[in-house]
Amino acid sequence: MAPGHYFWAIFYFACLCSASLANNAKVNFREKEKKILDQILGAGKYDARIRPSGINGTDGPAIVRINLFVRSIMTISDIKMEYSVQLTFREQWLDERLKFDDIGGRLKYLTLTEANRVWMPDLFFSNEKEGHFHNIIMPNVYIRIFPYGSVLYSIRISLTLACPMNLKLYPLDRQVCSLRMASYGWTTADLVFLWKEGDPVQVVKNLHLPRFTLEKFLTDYCNSKTNTGEYSCLKVDLLFKREFSYYLIQIYIPCCMLVIVSWVSFWLDQGAVPARVSLGVTTLLTMATQTSGINASLPPVSYTKAIDVWTGVCLTFVFGALLEFALVNYASRSADRAADMHRENMKKKRRELEQASLDAASDLLDTDSNATFAMKPLVRHPGDPLALEKLRQCEVHMQAPKRPNCCRSWLAKFPTSPLKKVPCFGRGKCSRSKRIDVISRITFPLVFALFNLVYWSTYLFREEEEE
C-alpha cells in the first residue's frame, strides 16, 4: 500500500475514535435511568398490585429468597422472655415485567427508594413484639432492579422478639430464640419463601452479649396451615449459652460465704447470747435479701429452678444454724436447772446424814438412871440412811466397767474449752449443750459438702443431656 493510503486510513480511524468518545461524553446515564424507569414503571404499564409470575413465566408461585445480616443483639430479657436484635433484611425475587436494556452492560442496576413503586412480598415477623425502621439521616432502605428483571429489597430494622424460655436449669441453661418470617396474605399457591443458597444468615464478627454467648444458629422452614390455607414460613434458631461465671461470682460464692459465716456461731461460747443471736439473724436476713433479689430478676414460673434449689438449701442451713443455738441455749438452761436441783438434793442429803450422825452420837453417850450405858443394836434398820449410803458405794464398786465407745472417744478429742481442755464426752465433765456445738461443727460442713456434690453432679449432668 502506498504511504498516502496509510495516512488516510489512520486519519479515518482517529476521526471514528474521536466521534465515539464525543458520543460517550454526551451520554447522561442518569437521564437514561429516568427514561427506563418511566418506561417500565409508567402509568398503565406496571401494576404493583399484581404479583409476578412463577418460574419461566408460568402461573406457579412467585419465589422469594431471603437472607439476613445480624448487626447486633442488644438485650436478652429473662423476666420478659424476649430479645432485641438489629438486622439487615434482604429479599430477592424475579419480576419479568421489570426487564430493561442495560446499554451494553453500562447500567448494572436501577436504584429505587420508594418500595410502593413495585410489587412487594407481604412478609411479617410472626413473633415480633415491637419493631421500627431506621430513618437517620435518610430511610435505610433501597430497591435494586437488575436488567433481567431481578429485584433486591434491603432494609435495616430493629426488632423486639418473643423468646419463650425454659428456666429449669437456670443459670446452667441454654436458650433457643427464634426469628420467624411468614407471608400474611399470599398462600403457598401464590408465594413461597426460600432461604438464599450459600450463606443465608450472617452474624457480625465480635458479637458481645452481657450474659450470653451465641453458640450457633440454624435455618429451617416452618410452614403453617390455617383455615384460610397454607402459608410459607422461614425461621432462624439462635442458640444462646448463659455465661456461668457471672452467676458464680454474684450468687454462688456469696451464698457459700454466708453459710460458712453462720457456722462461726458453733465456735462461740454458749454464754455469748448477743453475739450468737446477732450473727444468726444477720446471716439469715442477708440470705433472704439475696434470694429476693435473685427472684426479682426472673419471671414467676410454676416449676422449680436450679437457682431455687441452691438458695433454698443455703437458707435452710443458715436457719438451721440459728435453730441450733436455740437448742443449745435450751439445753444449757435445762442443765443449769438440773445442776441446781442436784446441788439442792446433795445439800439436803448432807444435812440428813449430819443429823443422823449427831443422833447416833447422842444415843451412844446417853445414860439412864442406873448409870449404865445403853447398848444399841449393831444391825441397822432398812431405812437407815447410813446403811443406804454404804450400799450405794458397794454397788458402784461392783459395777462392771462399760465398753468404750469409739465415736465418743474420737469426738472427745475436740475440747469445748481451748483453755481448760475439757473433753466433751467425759462423764460428768461436760454439759449437753457443748456436745451439740461440737457435733454441729462437724455435721453442718459435711452435709453442706454432700449437698454440693449432689447438686453439681445432678445439674451438670442434666445440662449435658439437654445439649
Side-chain angles (χ1 to χ4, degrees):
M1 183 180 294
H5 293 167
Y6 280 112
F7 173 76
W8 288 110
I10 294 173
F11 178 76
Y12 179 72
F13 180 74
C15 291
L16 289 177
C17 291
S18 62
S20 177
L21 291 174
N23 291 332
N24 287 340
K26 294 179 180 179
V27 173
N28 189 339
F29 289 98
R30 306 291 78 78
E31 290 291 335
K32 290 288 184 181
E33 290 180 7
K34 177 180 180 303
K35 291 181 180 180
I36 293 173
L37 289 175
D38 292 339
Q39 180 181 356
I40 61 178
L41 298 177
K45 295 183 179 180
Y46 184 87
D47 194 344
R49 298 172 298 176
I50 308 300
R51 72 168 180 86
S53 56
I55 299 176
N56 298 325
T58 62
D59 196 30
I63 305 298
V64 179
R65 298 191 177 273
I66 307 294
N67 70 314
L68 305 173
F69 177 68
V70 180
R71 293 180 173 271
S72 64
I73 299 176
M74 279 76 75
T75 57
I76 301 176
S77 175
D78 296 317
I79 189 169
K80 295 182 179 180
M81 291 195 177
E82 63 184 21
Y83 71 105
S84 300
V85 61
Q86 182 186 128
L87 51 88
T88 298
F89 174 75
R90 304 186 187 98
E91 297 176 307
Q92 192 165 7
W93 66 92
L94 181 64
D95 193 343
E96 296 183 352
R97 297 173 294 175
L98 299 177
K99 290 182 178 180
F100 63 90
D101 184 13
D102 59 355
I103 314 177
R106 297 175 184 175
L107 283 180
K108 294 182 178 180
Y109 53 80
L110 303 175
T111 302
L112 295 178
T113 56
E114 298 177 0
N116 58 355
R117 298 289 301 274
V118 297
W119 176 86
M120 293 288 300
D122 59 343
L123 181 140
F124 77 105
F125 297 92
S126 58
N127 60 332
E128 173 203 354
K129 286 186 174 181
E130 295 179 359
H132 66 272
F133 302 121
H134 292 266
N135 297 318
I136 306 296
I137 296 175
M138 292 293 292
N140 299 165
V141 59
Y142 68 80
I143 298 175
R144 290 178 181 175
I145 303 175
F146 294 89
Y148 52 91
S150 178
V151 181
L152 174 62
Y153 175 74
S154 177
I155 188 172
R156 187 166 72 99
I157 52 179
S158 292
L159 300 170
T160 300
L161 304 165
C163 179
M165 298 182 182
N166 186 354
L167 299 174
K168 289 183 178 180
L169 299 180
Y170 177 91
L172 301 169
D173 58 336
R174 285 178 169 84
Q175 301 297 337
V176 178
C177 296
S178 298
L179 173 64
R180 295 174 176 266
M181 300 161 286
S183 173
Y184 190 82
W186 300 94
T187 62
T188 53
D190 296 312
L191 179 62
V192 173
F193 291 119
L194 297 176
W195 286 113
K196 184 179 180 180
E197 297 178 357
D199 194 5
V201 177
Q202 299 172 336
V203 180
V204 66
K205 295 181 180 180
N206 301 323
L207 179 65
H208 296 288
L209 300 175
R211 285 183 290 177
F212 288 88
T213 299
L214 179 62
E215 287 192 330
K216 59 182 178 180
F217 51 88
L218 303 172
T219 58
D220 201 357
Y221 296 90
C222 53
N223 291 4
S224 60
K225 291 184 179 180
T226 64
N227 294 332
T228 57
E230 181 179 0
Y231 298 89
S232 182
C233 176
L234 304 178
K235 72 172 182 176
V236 184
D237 290 332
L238 304 172
L239 179 60
F240 296 103
K241 179 182 178 181
R242 199 180 298 272
E243 286 290 345
F244 179 69
S245 59
Y246 169 82
Y247 300 93
L248 180 65
I249 297 173
Q250 297 292 328
I251 296 177
Y252 285 93
I253 292 180
C255 289
C256 283
M257 294 174 65
L258 287 173
V259 173
I260 294 173
V261 167
S262 68
W263 299 342
V264 176
S265 173
F266 306 150
W267 298 88
L268 298 178
D269 186 74
Q270 59 183 0
V273 176
R276 297 187 70 165
V277 170
S278 61
L279 180 63
V281 172
T282 302
T283 52
L284 183 62
L285 292 178
T286 307
M287 191 67 216
T289 304
Q290 181 86 349
T291 303
S292 62
I294 295 170
N295 293 329
S297 62
L298 294 173
V301 295
S302 59
Y303 48 82
T304 302
K305 304 179 288 294
I307 196 66
D308 294 336
V309 176
W310 175 264
T311 55
V313 172
C314 290
L315 190 62
T316 303
F317 270 92
V318 175
F319 184 67
L322 185 60
L323 291 183
E324 189 269 349
F325 171 67
L327 181 62
V328 166
N329 187 265
Y330 174 77
S332 176
R333 288 187 286 107
S334 299
D336 292 341
R337 286 196 298 268
D340 294 339
M341 293 178 64
H342 180 69
R343 282 193 295 270
E344 291 295 332
N345 292 332
M346 292 299 295
K347 289 180 180 179
K348 185 177 180 181
K349 289 181 179 180
R350 190 178 298 110
R351 286 194 298 269
E352 291 176 356
L353 290 174
E354 291 176 355
Q355 185 66 31
S357 62
L358 290 175
D359 292 342
S362 63
D363 290 340
L364 290 174
L365 297 176
D366 188 18
T367 58
D368 55 5
S369 62
N370 295 326
T372 59
F373 291 99
M375 302 299 292
K376 295 295 181 179
L378 297 177
V379 180
R380 295 289 182 180
H381 297 287
D384 195 345
L386 292 176
L388 292 176
E389 182 66 21
K390 295 292 185 179
L391 183 60
R392 289 196 193 95
Q393 293 178 0
C394 293
E395 290 177 354
V396 169
H397 289 289
M398 295 179 63
Q399 284 180 354
K402 294 185 178 180
R403 298 180 60 183
N405 191 321
C406 60
C407 294
R408 289 190 174 187
S409 61
W410 181 78
L411 288 173
K413 298 178 182 179
F414 300 92
T416 57
S417 176
L419 297 177
K420 298 180 180 179
K421 304 296 182 183
V422 180
C424 184
F425 284 90
R427 180 180 296 275
K429 295 182 179 180
C430 179
S431 65
R432 186 180 302 173
S433 59
K434 294 183 179 180
R435 297 177 187 177
I436 296 174
D437 271 342
V438 172
I439 294 173
S440 300
R441 296 172 192 174
I442 304 168
T443 305
F444 272 72
L446 287 179
V447 176
F448 189 68
L450 180 62
F451 161 70
N452 274 271
L453 179 63
V454 174
Y455 179 86
W456 294 113
S457 59
T458 300
Y459 282 101
L460 290 178
F461 180 72
R462 289 180 61 182
E463 182 188 9
E464 292 177 358
E465 286 185 348
E466 292 289 337
E467 183 180 2

Coordinates of all heavy atoms in Angstrom, one line a residue, residues 267 407-418 421-425 430 434-435 437-439 441-442:
W267 N -18.6 -22.0 117.2 CA -17.3 -21.9 117.9 C -17.3 -20.8 119.0 O -16.3 -20.6 119.7 CB -16.2 -21.6 116.9 CG -16.1 -22.7 115.9 CD1 -16.7 -22.8 114.7 CD2 -15.2 -23.8 116.0 NE1 -16.3 -24.0 114.1 CE2 -15.4 -24.6 114.8 CE3 -14.3 -24.2 116.9 CZ2 -14.7 -25.8 114.6 CZ3 -13.6 -25.4 116.7 CH2 -13.8 -26.2 115.6
C407 N -16.9 -43.8 118.8 CA -17.4 -42.5 118.4 C -17.1 -41.4 119.5 O -16.6 -40.3 119.2 CB -18.8 -42.5 118.0 SG -19.2 -43.5 116.5
R408 N -17.5 -41.8 120.7 CA -17.3 -40.9 121.8 C -15.8 -40.6 122.1 O -15.4 -39.5 122.3 CB -18.0 -41.4 123.1 CG -19.5 -41.4 123.0 CD -20.1 -41.7 124.3 NE -21.5 -41.5 124.3 CZ -22.3 -41.6 125.4 NH1 -21.7 -41.7 126.6 NH2 -23.6 -41.4 125.3
S409 N -15.0 -41.7 122.0 CA -13.6 -41.5 122.2 C -13.0 -40.6 121.1 O -12.0 -39.8 121.4 CB -12.9 -42.8 122.3 OG -13.1 -43.5 121.1
W410 N -13.5 -40.7 119.9 CA -12.9 -39.9 118.8 C -13.4 -38.4 118.9 O -12.6 -37.5 118.8 CB -13.4 -40.4 117.4 CG -12.8 -39.6 116.3 CD1 -11.6 -39.6 115.8 CD2 -13.6 -38.6 115.5 NE1 -11.5 -38.7 114.7 CE2 -12.7 -38.1 114.6 CE3 -14.9 -38.2 115.6 CZ2 -13.1 -37.2 113.6 CZ3 -15.3 -37.2 114.6 CH2 -14.4 -36.7 113.7
L411 N -14.7 -38.2 119.3 CA -15.2 -36.9 119.4 C -14.7 -36.2 120.7 O -14.7 -35.0 120.8 CB -16.7 -36.9 119.5 CG -17.4 -37.2 118.2 CD1 -18.9 -37.4 118.4 CD2 -17.2 -36.1 117.2
A412 N -14.2 -37.0 121.6 CA -13.6 -36.4 122.9 C -12.3 -35.7 122.6 O -11.8 -35.0 123.4 CB -13.4 -37.5 123.9
K413 N -11.7 -35.9 121.4 CA -10.5 -35.2 121.0 C -10.8 -33.7 120.8 O -9.8 -32.9 120.6 CB -9.9 -35.8 119.8 CG -9.4 -37.3 120.0 CD -8.8 -37.9 118.8 CE -8.4 -39.3 119.0 NZ -7.9 -39.9 117.7
F414 N -12.0 -33.3 120.6 CA -12.4 -31.9 120.3 C -12.8 -31.3 121.6 O -14.0 -31.4 122.0 CB -13.5 -31.9 119.3 CG -13.1 -32.5 118.0 CD1 -13.4 -33.8 117.7 CD2 -12.5 -31.8 117.0 CE1 -13.1 -34.4 116.5 CE2 -12.1 -32.3 115.8 CZ -12.4 -33.6 115.5
P415 N -11.9 -30.6 122.3 CA -12.3 -30.0 123.6 C -13.2 -28.8 123.3 O -13.2 -28.1 122.3 CB -11.0 -29.5 124.1 CG -10.1 -29.3 122.9 CD -10.5 -30.3 121.9
T416 N -14.1 -28.6 124.3 CA -15.1 -27.5 124.2 C -14.4 -26.2 124.6 O -14.9 -25.1 124.3 CB -16.3 -27.8 125.0 OG1 -15.9 -28.0 126.3 CG2 -17.0 -29.0 124.4
S417 N -13.4 -26.3 125.5 CA -12.8 -25.1 126.0 C -11.3 -25.2 125.7 O -10.6 -26.1 126.2 CB -13.0 -24.9 127.5 OG -12.2 -23.8 128.0
P418 N -10.7 -24.3 124.8 CA -9.3 -24.4 124.5 C -8.4 -24.1 125.6 O -7.2 -24.5 125.6 CB -9.2 -23.4 123.4 CG -10.3 -22.4 123.6 CD -11.4 -23.2 124.2
K421 N -9.2 -27.4 128.2 CA -9.0 -28.7 127.6 C -9.9 -29.8 128.2 O -9.5 -30.9 128.5 CB -7.6 -29.2 127.7 CG -6.5 -28.2 127.1 CD -6.7 -28.0 125.6 CE -5.7 -27.1 125.0 NZ -5.9 -26.9 123.6
V422 N -11.2 -29.4 128.4 CA -12.1 -30.3 129.0 C -12.7 -31.2 127.9 O -13.3 -30.7 127.0 CB -13.2 -29.6 129.7 CG1 -14.2 -30.5 130.3 CG2 -12.6 -28.7 130.8
P423 N -12.6 -32.5 127.9 CA -13.2 -33.3 126.9 C -14.7 -33.3 127.0 O -15.3 -33.4 128.1 CB -12.6 -34.7 127.1 CG -12.2 -34.7 128.6 CD -11.9 -33.3 128.9
C424 N -15.3 -33.3 125.8 CA -16.8 -33.2 125.7 C -17.5 -34.4 126.2 O -18.6 -34.2 126.7 CB -17.2 -32.8 124.3 SG -18.9 -32.4 124.2
F425 N -16.9 -35.6 126.1 CA -17.7 -36.8 126.4 C -17.2 -37.4 127.7 O -17.4 -38.6 127.9 CB -17.7 -37.8 125.2 CG -18.6 -37.3 124.1 CD1 -18.1 -36.5 123.1 CD2 -19.9 -37.7 124.1 CE1 -19.0 -36.2 122.1 CE2 -20.7 -37.3 123.1 CZ -20.3 -36.5 122.1
C430 N -18.9 -32.4 131.1 CA -19.3 -31.6 130.0 C -20.8 -31.6 130.0 O -21.4 -32.6 130.2 CB -18.7 -32.0 128.7 SG -19.2 -31.1 127.3
K434 N -22.7 -28.2 125.1 CA -21.5 -28.2 124.5 C -21.3 -29.4 123.5 O -20.6 -29.3 122.5 CB -20.3 -28.2 125.5 CG -20.3 -27.0 126.4 CD -19.1 -27.0 127.4 CE -19.1 -25.7 128.2 NZ -17.9 -25.7 129.1
R435 N -21.9 -30.5 123.9 CA -21.9 -31.6 122.9 C -22.6 -31.3 121.6 O -22.1 -31.6 120.5 CB -22.6 -32.8 123.6 CG -21.9 -33.3 124.8 CD -22.7 -34.5 125.4 NE -22.1 -34.9 126.7 CZ -22.6 -35.9 127.4 NH1 -23.7 -36.5 127.0 NH2 -22.1 -36.2 128.6
D437 N -22.8 -28.3 120.2 CA -22.0 -27.4 119.4 C -20.9 -28.2 118.7 O -20.6 -28.0 117.6 CB -21.3 -26.4 120.4 CG -22.2 -25.1 120.5 OD1 -23.1 -24.9 119.6 OD2 -22.0 -24.4 121.4
V438 N -20.3 -29.2 119.4 CA -19.2 -29.9 118.8 C -19.7 -30.8 117.7 O -19.1 -30.9 116.6 CB -18.5 -30.8 119.9 CG1 -17.5 -31.7 119.2 CG2 -17.8 -29.9 120.9
I439 N -20.8 -31.4 117.9 CA -21.4 -32.2 116.8 C -21.8 -31.3 115.6 O -21.6 -31.7 114.4 CB -22.7 -33.0 117.3 CG1 -22.2 -34.0 118.4 CG2 -23.4 -33.7 116.2 CD1 -23.4 -34.7 119.1
R441 N -20.3 -28.6 114.6 CA -19.1 -28.1 113.9 C -18.7 -29.2 112.9 O -18.1 -28.8 111.8 CB -18.0 -28.0 114.9 CG -18.2 -26.9 115.9 CD -17.1 -26.9 117.0 NE -17.4 -26.1 118.1 CZ -16.7 -26.0 119.2 NH1 -15.6 -26.8 119.3 NH2 -17.0 -25.2 120.2
I442 N -19.0 -30.4 113.1 CA -18.6 -31.5 112.1 C -19.8 -31.8 111.2 O -19.6 -32.0 110.0 CB -18.2 -32.7 112.9 CG1 -17.1 -32.4 113.8 CG2 -17.8 -33.8 111.9 CD1 -16.8 -33.5 114.8

